[in-house]
Amino acid sequence: MALKGMTKNARSGMHYGNTRIEFDSNKNRCRILAESLLEYIEYMRLEYDPDVVSYTPHPGVIIVADENENRHKSIFDAELIMADGSIVYEEIKYSKELQDEDSRSYRQVRLQEEWCRKEGYEYKVVTEKEVADNPVFFNNCLR
């Protein structure tokens, strides 16, 4: 779903992280590129979540102004279309990246959260802690 102020295919040709995993999505009927192991595991969870109708990895760029009116670009890790028709945006991060309030990741999450609040969308940050809550699923993803 394209939103005003959002550019599609935001990461085409770009490389983030050191792990890239491609897989066929049965739910989306297309090839998906995960840019980290944690991203791959979350996308696999979305594949089997009956509440998620479809999802789009890296759906586009948003531009958000901070408290000083400085403009920042940001890319969500996933846009989810839920069975009830709602849209949820996700950011997938390792928890250690969010511990320092001065870190780029921490600021990114805060800006995305604010954008979603203003636009009326649900926002969710997924970390390895949520993955660890379901070790059977995690182990099956690694097979």
Side-chain angles (χ1 to χ4, degrees), residues 62-79:
I62 59 168
I63 299 174
V64 185
D66 64 17
E67 63 277 355
N68 298 320
E69 296 303 317
N70 296 319
R71 294 164 54 95
H72 303 273
K73 292 181 182 179
S74 190
I75 302 169
F76 293 101
D77 285 324
E79 175 188 72

Side-chain angles (χ1 to χ4, degrees), residues 27 47 50 53 60-61 65 73 81 106-108 112 140:
K27 187 169 274 192
E47 283 288 319
V53 173
V61 176
K73 292 181 182 179
I81 307 299
Y106 184 89
R107 289 190 311 270
Q108 175 190 23
Q112 288 179 347
N140 284 337

Side-chain angles (χ1 to χ4, degrees), residues 6-7 28 50 52 83 91 101 111 123 125 128 133 138 140-141:
M6 195 176 268
T7 306
N28 294 319
V52 177
E91 185 61 28
E101 292 184 17
L111 289 170
Y123 180 67
V125 178
E128 76 281 359
D133 284 344
F138 175 77
N140 284 337
C141 280

Side-chain angles (χ1 to χ4, degrees), residues 109 118 133 143:
V109 164
K118 285 180 180 176
D133 284 344
R143 290 183 182 181

Side-chain angles (χ1 to χ4, degrees), residues 7-24:
T7 306
K8 295 299 279 177
N9 301 322
R11 290 190 178 172
S12 179
M14 299 173 80
H15 180 80
Y16 290 85
N18 58 6
T19 303
R20 293 167 61 100
I21 303 167
E22 283 190 69
F23 65 95
D24 292 319

Side-chain angles (χ1 to χ4, degrees), residues 110-122:
R110 292 290 130 324
L111 289 170
Q112 288 179 347
E113 188 174 51
E114 180 64 15
W115 185 87
C116 285
R117 187 188 62 73
K118 285 180 180 176
E119 297 295 327
Y121 296 109
E122 185 179 338

